[in-house]
Amino acid sequence: MSPFSSHLLVTLTHTFNQGLLLATLPSLLDFSPDTSTPQGILQQRYITKALSSDLHCDKLFALRKKGASVRYIISTLPPPVSPDSTTKAIFQLCIWRNFAFGNADYLEKLTLFRTPENQDGGTAPDFDEINTIIQTFGAPGTTKILLPAYGQLSIVKAKIPSMLSRLWTFSTELSSSLSPKPPLLSFAEVQKRLLEKEIPTIGANGLLIWVIVCDLSEYALCSPPTPKDLANHIIPPNPKKKGPSGPTKGLQLVGARNGVTAPLGRVGDLESVFEDVMQAWEQGKSKEIKEMAARCEELQGRALNVADLEHGLCKIAREEDLRVGRRGKKRTEGGGGGQRG
């Protein structure tokens, strides 16, 4: 294991142990950190903010499946989905993640299909009705809808009808290509298919394409991401373009704190780091890691995977934001560089 891999593993262990605390803490009344130390003060700020609202819960909970919005999604549309409802399940996951994530009221308003009662095969939903609902999420008289769960991301209202149509096409095509027998479609293949739909908010190396396909993998509609998938997500093929800010910053922070360089120059080098972390989680490199991984698996209903690794990197970055009191920059539409999970 490389020195950077070792430092990353230690940092992620702290991040997920804090996530376990958040996921099992009934309320702030049950939380009393040692505030005589800077780390205790930071932990108090982090956990207090994480429990202050559904939005901050989604932003700060380190366990991917324990944030407020994902808990709602899984309880409303519990996996696995039946073969005759796959198209609508995919579409439902896409519109929740694209338009409502981080807001309990919006998630409820955009809950179109519940398993198994009101699903009727591949019949297209009423796009006009869905568009009307989503338009109310933006302030009157404005041309864009802001998505605070994703930092700087916004949606042009006039593009929503086209986005819905393209998401439905993606859903129908993906559903028709699924097989009841293994192997599942690869994560990279589903990413490629979604990217081909040219949906404004879903850009290459952006946050939304990553989280949507991760959501689909939670429903066994494709394979979970591999270390190579995450390395390709973080390092764009075009060196002039920026990768996603959250995991990139998380890696840079680990390097800066430990006097080592984050391997952000070559996909293969970063892939090796992620393979090291996954191997340590799977094999229980130490008693602490083994116990942490086992508790995460118990709470999430599956073993830690690469989707959790990316999610943890974003939380490393968010903890640092709280440490320095950083404020977000100008909001932008689409793509990936400014978005954070």
PDB file of all heavy atoms in Angstrom, residues 210-244:
ATOM      1  N   TRP A 210     -22.694  10.785 -11.899  1.00  0.00           N
ATOM      2  CA  TRP A 210     -22.135   9.826 -10.942  1.00  0.00           C
ATOM      3  C   TRP A 210     -23.200   9.342  -9.959  1.00  0.00           C
ATOM      4  O   TRP A 210     -23.396   8.138  -9.777  1.00  0.00           O
ATOM      5  CB  TRP A 210     -20.961  10.448 -10.194  1.00  0.00           C
ATOM      6  CG  TRP A 210     -20.393   9.545  -9.143  1.00  0.00           C
ATOM      7  CD1 TRP A 210     -20.701   9.539  -7.800  1.00  0.00           C
ATOM      8  CD2 TRP A 210     -19.457   8.482  -9.335  1.00  0.00           C
ATOM      9  NE1 TRP A 210     -20.007   8.548  -7.152  1.00  0.00           N
ATOM     10  CE2 TRP A 210     -19.234   7.883  -8.073  1.00  0.00           C
ATOM     11  CE3 TRP A 210     -18.787   7.983 -10.450  1.00  0.00           C
ATOM     12  CZ2 TRP A 210     -18.366   6.807  -7.893  1.00  0.00           C
ATOM     13  CZ3 TRP A 210     -17.907   6.915 -10.267  1.00  0.00           C
ATOM     14  CH2 TRP A 210     -17.713   6.342  -9.018  1.00  0.00           C
ATOM     15  N   VAL A 211     -23.925  10.275  -9.340  1.00  0.00           N
ATOM     16  CA  VAL A 211     -24.859   9.865  -8.290  1.00  0.00           C
ATOM     17  C   VAL A 211     -26.075   9.130  -8.849  1.00  0.00           C
ATOM     18  O   VAL A 211     -26.609   8.225  -8.201  1.00  0.00           O
ATOM     19  CB  VAL A 211     -25.293  11.065  -7.416  1.00  0.00           C
ATOM     20  CG1 VAL A 211     -24.109  11.597  -6.617  1.00  0.00           C
ATOM     21  CG2 VAL A 211     -25.921  12.176  -8.241  1.00  0.00           C
ATOM     22  N   ILE A 212     -26.526   9.499 -10.053  1.00  0.00           N
ATOM     23  CA  ILE A 212     -27.675   8.788 -10.632  1.00  0.00           C
ATOM     24  C   ILE A 212     -27.328   7.332 -10.907  1.00  0.00           C
ATOM     25  O   ILE A 212     -28.092   6.418 -10.565  1.00  0.00           O
ATOM     26  CB  ILE A 212     -28.153   9.479 -11.922  1.00  0.00           C
ATOM     27  CG1 ILE A 212     -28.857  10.794 -11.586  1.00  0.00           C
ATOM     28  CG2 ILE A 212     -29.109   8.574 -12.704  1.00  0.00           C
ATOM     29  CD1 ILE A 212     -29.190  11.642 -12.805  1.00  0.00           C
ATOM     30  N   VAL A 213     -26.173   7.092 -11.508  1.00  0.00           N
ATOM     31  CA  VAL A 213     -25.809   5.712 -11.817  1.00  0.00           C
ATOM     32  C   VAL A 213     -25.490   4.944 -10.531  1.00  0.00           C
ATOM     33  O   VAL A 213     -25.784   3.745 -10.430  1.00  0.00           O
ATOM     34  CB  VAL A 213     -24.659   5.655 -12.840  1.00  0.00           C
ATOM     35  CG1 VAL A 213     -24.358   4.214 -13.223  1.00  0.00           C
ATOM     36  CG2 VAL A 213     -25.021   6.445 -14.099  1.00  0.00           C
ATOM     37  N   CYS A 214     -24.942   5.625  -9.528  1.00  0.00           N
ATOM     38  CA  CYS A 214     -24.771   4.971  -8.217  1.00  0.00           C
ATOM     39  C   CYS A 214     -26.130   4.572  -7.639  1.00  0.00           C
ATOM     40  O   CYS A 214     -26.281   3.486  -7.067  1.00  0.00           O
ATOM     41  CB  CYS A 214     -24.040   5.890  -7.245  1.00  0.00           C
ATOM     42  SG  CYS A 214     -22.257   6.010  -7.514  1.00  0.00           S
ATOM     43  N   ASP A 215     -27.131   5.443  -7.779  1.00  0.00           N
ATOM     44  CA  ASP A 215     -28.484   5.104  -7.319  1.00  0.00           C
ATOM     45  C   ASP A 215     -29.000   3.869  -8.049  1.00  0.00           C
ATOM     46  O   ASP A 215     -29.596   2.974  -7.434  1.00  0.00           O
ATOM     47  CB  ASP A 215     -29.440   6.274  -7.568  1.00  0.00           C
ATOM     48  CG  ASP A 215     -29.196   7.457  -6.652  1.00  0.00           C
ATOM     49  OD1 ASP A 215     -28.466   7.305  -5.656  1.00  0.00           O
ATOM     50  OD2 ASP A 215     -29.740   8.542  -6.941  1.00  0.00           O
ATOM     51  N   LEU A 216     -28.799   3.808  -9.354  1.00  0.00           N
ATOM     52  CA  LEU A 216     -29.250   2.651 -10.125  1.00  0.00           C
ATOM     53  C   LEU A 216     -28.551   1.371  -9.654  1.00  0.00           C
ATOM     54  O   LEU A 216     -29.160   0.298  -9.614  1.00  0.00           O
ATOM     55  CB  LEU A 216     -28.996   2.880 -11.611  1.00  0.00           C
ATOM     56  CG  LEU A 216     -29.779   4.034 -12.252  1.00  0.00           C
ATOM     57  CD1 LEU A 216     -29.335   4.248 -13.695  1.00  0.00           C
ATOM     58  CD2 LEU A 216     -31.277   3.782 -12.200  1.00  0.00           C
ATOM     59  N   SER A 217     -27.285   1.498  -9.266  1.00  0.00           N
ATOM     60  CA  SER A 217     -26.570   0.314  -8.786  1.00  0.00           C
ATOM     61  C   SER A 217     -27.116  -0.165  -7.446  1.00  0.00           C
ATOM     62  O   SER A 217     -27.063  -1.364  -7.144  1.00  0.00           O
ATOM     63  CB  SER A 217     -25.068   0.602  -8.675  1.00  0.00           C
ATOM     64  OG  SER A 217     -24.758   1.415  -7.558  1.00  0.00           O
ATOM     65  N   GLU A 218     -27.665   0.745  -6.643  1.00  0.00           N
ATOM     66  CA  GLU A 218     -28.273   0.346  -5.368  1.00  0.00           C
ATOM     67  C   GLU A 218     -29.489  -0.544  -5.608  1.00  0.00           C
ATOM     68  O   GLU A 218     -29.869  -1.336  -4.747  1.00  0.00           O
ATOM     69  CB  GLU A 218     -28.689   1.580  -4.561  1.00  0.00           C
ATOM     70  CG  GLU A 218     -27.577   2.549  -4.194  1.00  0.00           C
ATOM     71  CD  GLU A 218     -26.684   2.081  -3.058  1.00  0.00           C
ATOM     72  OE1 GLU A 218     -26.813   0.909  -2.631  1.00  0.00           O
ATOM     73  OE2 GLU A 218     -25.844   2.880  -2.608  1.00  0.00           O
ATOM     74  N   TYR A 219     -30.095  -0.426  -6.772  1.00  0.00           N
ATOM     75  CA  TYR A 219     -31.265  -1.223  -7.143  1.00  0.00           C
ATOM     76  C   TYR A 219     -30.889  -2.417  -8.039  1.00  0.00           C
ATOM     77  O   TYR A 219     -31.762  -3.042  -8.632  1.00  0.00           O
ATOM     78  CB  TYR A 219     -32.298  -0.349  -7.853  1.00  0.00           C
ATOM     79  CG  TYR A 219     -33.054   0.561  -6.911  1.00  0.00           C
ATOM     80  CD1 TYR A 219     -32.458   1.706  -6.398  1.00  0.00           C
ATOM     81  CD2 TYR A 219     -34.353   0.265  -6.510  1.00  0.00           C
ATOM     82  CE1 TYR A 219     -33.131   2.537  -5.514  1.00  0.00           C
ATOM     83  CE2 TYR A 219     -35.044   1.088  -5.632  1.00  0.00           C
ATOM     84  CZ  TYR A 219     -34.427   2.219  -5.136  1.00  0.00           C
ATOM     85  OH  TYR A 219     -35.101   3.046  -4.249  1.00  0.00           O
ATOM     86  N   ALA A 220     -29.587  -2.683  -8.128  1.00  0.00           N
ATOM     87  CA  ALA A 220     -29.083  -3.775  -8.962  1.00  0.00           C
ATOM     88  C   ALA A 220     -29.518  -3.626 -10.418  1.00  0.00           C
ATOM     89  O   ALA A 220     -29.752  -4.607 -11.124  1.00  0.00           O
ATOM     90  CB  ALA A 220     -29.516  -5.136  -8.416  1.00  0.00           C
ATOM     91  N   LEU A 221     -29.621  -2.379 -10.873  1.00  0.00           N
ATOM     92  CA  LEU A 221     -29.936  -2.104 -12.279  1.00  0.00           C
ATOM     93  C   LEU A 221     -28.664  -1.934 -13.104  1.00  0.00           C
ATOM     94  O   LEU A 221     -28.723  -1.771 -14.323  1.00  0.00           O
ATOM     95  CB  LEU A 221     -30.829  -0.865 -12.384  1.00  0.00           C
ATOM     96  CG  LEU A 221     -32.192  -1.026 -11.693  1.00  0.00           C
ATOM     97  CD1 LEU A 221     -32.925   0.302 -11.637  1.00  0.00           C
ATOM     98  CD2 LEU A 221     -33.041  -2.076 -12.402  1.00  0.00           C
ATOM     99  N   CYS A 222     -27.527  -1.933 -12.430  1.00  0.00           N
ATOM    100  CA  CYS A 222     -26.213  -1.994 -13.049  1.00  0.00           C
ATOM    101  C   CYS A 222     -25.227  -2.367 -11.951  1.00  0.00           C
ATOM    102  O   CYS A 222     -25.592  -2.422 -10.768  1.00  0.00           O
ATOM    103  CB  CYS A 222     -25.817  -0.668 -13.717  1.00  0.00           C
ATOM    104  SG  CYS A 222     -25.512   0.688 -12.572  1.00  0.00           S
ATOM    105  N   SER A 223     -23.997  -2.600 -12.321  1.00  0.00           N
ATOM    106  CA  SER A 223     -22.974  -2.928 -11.334  1.00  0.00           C
ATOM    107  C   SER A 223     -22.559  -1.684 -10.548  1.00  0.00           C
ATOM    108  O   SER A 223     -22.638  -0.564 -11.073  1.00  0.00           O
ATOM    109  CB  SER A 223     -21.742  -3.517 -12.019  1.00  0.00           C
ATOM    110  OG  SER A 223     -22.050  -4.706 -12.693  1.00  0.00           O
ATOM    111  N   PRO A 224     -22.095  -1.848  -9.311  1.00  0.00           N
ATOM    112  CA  PRO A 224     -21.528  -0.709  -8.589  1.00  0.00           C
ATOM    113  C   PRO A 224     -20.275  -0.205  -9.299  1.00  0.00           C
ATOM    114  O   PRO A 224     -19.661  -0.934 -10.097  1.00  0.00           O
ATOM    115  CB  PRO A 224     -21.182  -1.297  -7.209  1.00  0.00           C
ATOM    116  CG  PRO A 224     -21.959  -2.556  -7.102  1.00  0.00           C
ATOM    117  CD  PRO A 224     -22.093  -3.080  -8.502  1.00  0.00           C
ATOM    118  N   PRO A 225     -19.863   1.016  -9.030  1.00  0.00           N
ATOM    119  CA  PRO A 225     -18.652   1.536  -9.672  1.00  0.00           C
ATOM    120  C   PRO A 225     -17.406   0.783  -9.226  1.00  0.00           C
ATOM    121  O   PRO A 225     -17.348   0.257  -8.109  1.00  0.00           O
ATOM    122  CB  PRO A 225     -18.606   3.002  -9.226  1.00  0.00           C
ATOM    123  CG  PRO A 225     -19.395   3.037  -7.950  1.00  0.00           C
ATOM    124  CD  PRO A 225     -20.477   2.010  -8.126  1.00  0.00           C
ATOM    125  N   THR A 226     -16.430   0.742 -10.102  1.00  0.00           N
ATOM    126  CA  THR A 226     -15.139   0.130  -9.803  1.00  0.00           C
ATOM    127  C   THR A 226     -14.129   1.230  -9.455  1.00  0.00           C
ATOM    128  O   THR A 226     -14.379   2.423  -9.707  1.00  0.00           O
ATOM    129  CB  THR A 226     -14.616  -0.639 -11.022  1.00  0.00           C
ATOM    130  OG1 THR A 226     -14.362   0.306 -12.081  1.00  0.00           O
ATOM    131  CG2 THR A 226     -15.627  -1.674 -11.494  1.00  0.00           C
ATOM    132  N   PRO A 227     -12.968   0.866  -8.901  1.00  0.00           N
ATOM    133  CA  PRO A 227     -11.926   1.874  -8.689  1.00  0.00           C
ATOM    134  C   PRO A 227     -11.572   2.642  -9.963  1.00  0.00           C
ATOM    135  O   PRO A 227     -11.340   3.852  -9.916  1.00  0.00           O
ATOM    136  CB  PRO A 227     -10.744   1.043  -8.171  1.00  0.00           C
ATOM    137  CG  PRO A 227     -11.394  -0.089  -7.434  1.00  0.00           C
ATOM    138  CD  PRO A 227     -12.593  -0.430  -8.282  1.00  0.00           C
ATOM    139  N   LYS A 228     -11.559   1.934 -11.095  1.00  0.00           N
ATOM    140  CA  LYS A 228     -11.259   2.615 -12.361  1.00  0.00           C
ATOM    141  C   LYS A 228     -12.354   3.607 -12.725  1.00  0.00           C
ATOM    142  O   LYS A 228     -12.071   4.705 -13.234  1.00  0.00           O
ATOM    143  CB  LYS A 228     -11.086   1.585 -13.481  1.00  0.00           C
ATOM    144  CG  LYS A 228     -10.654   2.205 -14.802  1.00  0.00           C
ATOM    145  CD  LYS A 228     -10.384   1.138 -15.857  1.00  0.00           C
ATOM    146  CE  LYS A 228      -9.902   1.755 -17.169  1.00  0.00           C
ATOM    147  NZ  LYS A 228      -9.609   0.719 -18.181  1.00  0.00           N
ATOM    148  N   ASP A 229     -13.625   3.248 -12.478  1.00  0.00           N
ATOM    149  CA  ASP A 229     -14.730   4.169 -12.758  1.00  0.00           C
ATOM    150  C   ASP A 229     -14.562   5.465 -11.978  1.00  0.00           C
ATOM    151  O   ASP A 229     -14.758   6.564 -12.517  1.00  0.00           O
ATOM    152  CB  ASP A 229     -16.072   3.532 -12.393  1.00  0.00           C
ATOM    153  CG  ASP A 229     -16.475   2.394 -13.319  1.00  0.00           C
ATOM    154  OD1 ASP A 229     -16.126   2.450 -14.508  1.00  0.00           O
ATOM    155  OD2 ASP A 229     -17.139   1.460 -12.833  1.00  0.00           O
ATOM    156  N   LEU A 230     -14.198   5.351 -10.698  1.00  0.00           N
ATOM    157  CA  LEU A 230     -14.045   6.554  -9.876  1.00  0.00           C
ATOM    158  C   LEU A 230     -12.835   7.370 -10.318  1.00  0.00           C
ATOM    159  O   LEU A 230     -12.897   8.606 -10.368  1.00  0.00           O
ATOM    160  CB  LEU A 230     -13.932   6.179  -8.401  1.00  0.00           C
ATOM    161  CG  LEU A 230     -13.794   7.355  -7.418  1.00  0.00           C
ATOM    162  CD1 LEU A 230     -14.908   8.383  -7.620  1.00  0.00           C
ATOM    163  CD2 LEU A 230     -13.785   6.845  -5.973  1.00  0.00           C
ATOM    164  N   ALA A 231     -11.739   6.697 -10.652  1.00  0.00           N
ATOM    165  CA  ALA A 231     -10.559   7.426 -11.127  1.00  0.00           C
ATOM    166  C   ALA A 231     -10.875   8.175 -12.426  1.00  0.00           C
ATOM    167  O   ALA A 231     -10.477   9.337 -12.597  1.00  0.00           O
ATOM    168  CB  ALA A 231      -9.402   6.452 -11.338  1.00  0.00           C
ATOM    169  N   ASN A 232     -11.606   7.533 -13.331  1.00  0.00           N
ATOM    170  CA  ASN A 232     -12.005   8.207 -14.580  1.00  0.00           C
ATOM    171  C   ASN A 232     -12.952   9.364 -14.314  1.00  0.00           C
ATOM    172  O   ASN A 232     -12.951  10.367 -15.041  1.00  0.00           O
ATOM    173  CB  ASN A 232     -12.680   7.202 -15.517  1.00  0.00           C
ATOM    174  CG  ASN A 232     -11.687   6.347 -16.272  1.00  0.00           C
ATOM    175  OD1 ASN A 232     -10.617   6.812 -16.654  1.00  0.00           O
ATOM    176  ND2 ASN A 232     -12.026   5.082 -16.484  1.00  0.00           N
ATOM    177  N   HIS A 233     -13.786   9.239 -13.290  1.00  0.00           N
ATOM    178  CA  HIS A 233     -14.722  10.311 -12.932  1.00  0.00           C
ATOM    179  C   HIS A 233     -13.965  11.539 -12.431  1.00  0.00           C
ATOM    180  O   HIS A 233     -14.331  12.680 -12.753  1.00  0.00           O
ATOM    181  CB  HIS A 233     -15.669   9.795 -11.850  1.00  0.00           C
ATOM    182  CG  HIS A 233     -16.557  10.835 -11.247  1.00  0.00           C
ATOM    183  ND1 HIS A 233     -17.513  11.525 -11.964  1.00  0.00           N
ATOM    184  CD2 HIS A 233     -16.634  11.310  -9.966  1.00  0.00           C
ATOM    185  CE1 HIS A 233     -18.150  12.370 -11.161  1.00  0.00           C
ATOM    186  NE2 HIS A 233     -17.622  12.264  -9.954  1.00  0.00           N
ATOM    187  N   ILE A 234     -12.909  11.331 -11.663  1.00  0.00           N
ATOM    188  CA  ILE A 234     -12.194  12.436 -11.022  1.00  0.00           C
ATOM    189  C   ILE A 234     -11.194  13.093 -11.970  1.00  0.00           C
ATOM    190  O   ILE A 234     -10.991  14.314 -11.916  1.00  0.00           O
ATOM    191  CB  ILE A 234     -11.500  11.936  -9.733  1.00  0.00           C
ATOM    192  CG1 ILE A 234     -12.567  11.566  -8.695  1.00  0.00           C
ATOM    193  CG2 ILE A 234     -10.538  12.977  -9.175  1.00  0.00           C
ATOM    194  CD1 ILE A 234     -12.016  10.907  -7.451  1.00  0.00           C
ATOM    195  N   ILE A 235     -10.581  12.299 -12.845  1.00  0.00           N
ATOM    196  CA  ILE A 235      -9.572  12.844 -13.769  1.00  0.00           C
ATOM    197  C   ILE A 235     -10.160  12.881 -15.181  1.00  0.00           C
ATOM    198  O   ILE A 235     -10.258  11.844 -15.845  1.00  0.00           O
ATOM    199  CB  ILE A 235      -8.293  11.987 -13.755  1.00  0.00           C
ATOM    200  CG1 ILE A 235      -7.711  11.931 -12.338  1.00  0.00           C
ATOM    201  CG2 ILE A 235      -7.267  12.560 -14.729  1.00  0.00           C
ATOM    202  CD1 ILE A 235      -6.488  11.032 -12.218  1.00  0.00           C
ATOM    203  N   PRO A 236     -10.577  14.048 -15.665  1.00  0.00           N
ATOM    204  CA  PRO A 236     -11.164  14.133 -17.008  1.00  0.00           C
ATOM    205  C   PRO A 236     -10.145  13.758 -18.083  1.00  0.00           C
ATOM    206  O   PRO A 236      -8.943  13.995 -17.911  1.00  0.00           O
ATOM    207  CB  PRO A 236     -11.563  15.611 -17.129  1.00  0.00           C
ATOM    208  CG  PRO A 236     -11.557  16.144 -15.737  1.00  0.00           C
ATOM    209  CD  PRO A 236     -10.530  15.356 -14.996  1.00  0.00           C
ATOM    210  N   PRO A 237     -10.608  13.184 -19.196  1.00  0.00           N
ATOM    211  CA  PRO A 237      -9.677  12.848 -20.282  1.00  0.00           C
ATOM    212  C   PRO A 237      -9.033  14.085 -20.896  1.00  0.00           C
ATOM    213  O   PRO A 237      -7.920  14.020 -21.398  1.00  0.00           O
ATOM    214  CB  PRO A 237     -10.566  12.116 -21.291  1.00  0.00           C
ATOM    215  CG  PRO A 237     -11.975  12.504 -20.946  1.00  0.00           C
ATOM    216  CD  PRO A 237     -11.985  12.736 -19.471  1.00  0.00           C
ATOM    217  N   ASN A 238      -9.751  15.213 -20.842  1.00  0.00           N
ATOM    218  CA  ASN A 238      -9.205  16.475 -21.342  1.00  0.00           C
ATOM    219  C   ASN A 238      -8.544  17.217 -20.177  1.00  0.00           C
ATOM    220  O   ASN A 238      -9.228  17.674 -19.256  1.00  0.00           O
ATOM    221  CB  ASN A 238     -10.322  17.333 -21.940  1.00  0.00           C
ATOM    222  CG  ASN A 238      -9.791  18.627 -22.550  1.00  0.00           C
ATOM    223  OD1 ASN A 238      -8.642  19.028 -22.325  1.00  0.00           O
ATOM    224  ND2 ASN A 238     -10.635  19.303 -23.316  1.00  0.00           N
ATOM    225  N   PRO A 239      -7.214  17.341 -20.166  1.00  0.00           N
ATOM    226  CA  PRO A 239      -6.526  17.974 -19.037  1.00  0.00           C
ATOM    227  C   PRO A 239      -6.890  19.443 -18.822  1.00  0.00           C
ATOM    228  O   PRO A 239      -6.604  20.002 -17.761  1.00  0.00           O
ATOM    229  CB  PRO A 239      -5.040  17.821 -19.399  1.00  0.00           C
ATOM    230  CG  PRO A 239      -5.016  17.628 -20.880  1.00  0.00           C
ATOM    231  CD  PRO A 239      -6.289  16.908 -21.217  1.00  0.00           C
ATOM    232  N   LYS A 240      -7.528  20.060 -19.816  1.00  0.00           N
ATOM    233  CA  LYS A 240      -7.919  21.455 -19.670  1.00  0.00           C
ATOM    234  C   LYS A 240      -9.214  21.614 -18.875  1.00  0.00           C
ATOM    235  O   LYS A 240      -9.574  22.722 -18.480  1.00  0.00           O
ATOM    236  CB  LYS A 240      -8.085  22.100 -21.052  1.00  0.00           C
ATOM    237  CG  LYS A 240      -6.780  22.207 -21.846  1.00  0.00           C
ATOM    238  CD  LYS A 240      -6.997  22.912 -23.168  1.00  0.00           C
ATOM    239  CE  LYS A 240      -5.697  23.039 -23.944  1.00  0.00           C
ATOM    240  NZ  LYS A 240      -5.890  23.744 -25.248  1.00  0.00           N
ATOM    241  N   LYS A 241      -9.912  20.487 -18.662  1.00  0.00           N
ATOM    242  CA  LYS A 241     -11.163  20.540 -17.920  1.00  0.00           C
ATOM    243  C   LYS A 241     -10.956  20.106 -16.477  1.00  0.00           C
ATOM    244  O   LYS A 241     -10.078  19.294 -16.177  1.00  0.00           O
ATOM    245  CB  LYS A 241     -12.213  19.652 -18.590  1.00  0.00           C
ATOM    246  CG  LYS A 241     -12.681  20.183 -19.929  1.00  0.00           C
ATOM    247  CD  LYS A 241     -13.883  19.395 -20.446  1.00  0.00           C
ATOM    248  CE  LYS A 241     -14.407  19.989 -21.744  1.00  0.00           C
ATOM    249  NZ  LYS A 241     -15.608  19.256 -22.235  1.00  0.00           N
ATOM    250  N   LYS A 242     -11.789  20.641 -15.588  1.00  0.00           N
ATOM    251  CA  LYS A 242     -11.709  20.296 -14.180  1.00  0.00           C
ATOM    252  C   LYS A 242     -12.595  19.097 -13.870  1.00  0.00           C
ATOM    253  O   LYS A 242     -13.658  18.942 -14.452  1.00  0.00           O
ATOM    254  CB  LYS A 242     -12.140  21.482 -13.309  1.00  0.00           C
ATOM    255  CG  LYS A 242     -11.194  22.664 -13.336  1.00  0.00           C
ATOM    256  CD  LYS A 242     -11.669  23.749 -12.391  1.00  0.00           C
ATOM    257  CE  LYS A 242     -10.713  24.933 -12.362  1.00  0.00           C
ATOM    258  NZ  LYS A 242     -11.184  25.995 -11.430  1.00  0.00           N
ATOM    259  N   GLY A 243     -12.157  18.287 -12.931  1.00  0.00           N
ATOM    260  CA  GLY A 243     -12.976  17.200 -12.445  1.00  0.00           C
ATOM    261  C   GLY A 243     -13.920  17.685 -11.360  1.00  0.00           C
ATOM    262  O   GLY A 243     -13.967  18.879 -11.039  1.00  0.00           O
ATOM    263  N   PRO A 244     -14.711  16.811 -10.765  1.00  0.00           N
ATOM    264  CA  PRO A 244     -15.656  17.200  -9.717  1.00  0.00           C
ATOM    265  C   PRO A 244     -14.921  17.744  -8.499  1.00  0.00           C
ATOM    266  O   PRO A 244     -13.928  17.158  -8.045  1.00  0.00           O
ATOM    267  CB  PRO A 244     -16.395  15.894  -9.413  1.00  0.00           C
ATOM    268  CG  PRO A 244     -15.445  14.816  -9.835  1.00  0.00           C
ATOM    269  CD  PRO A 244     -14.715  15.364 -11.018  1.00  0.00           C
TER     270      PRO A 244
END
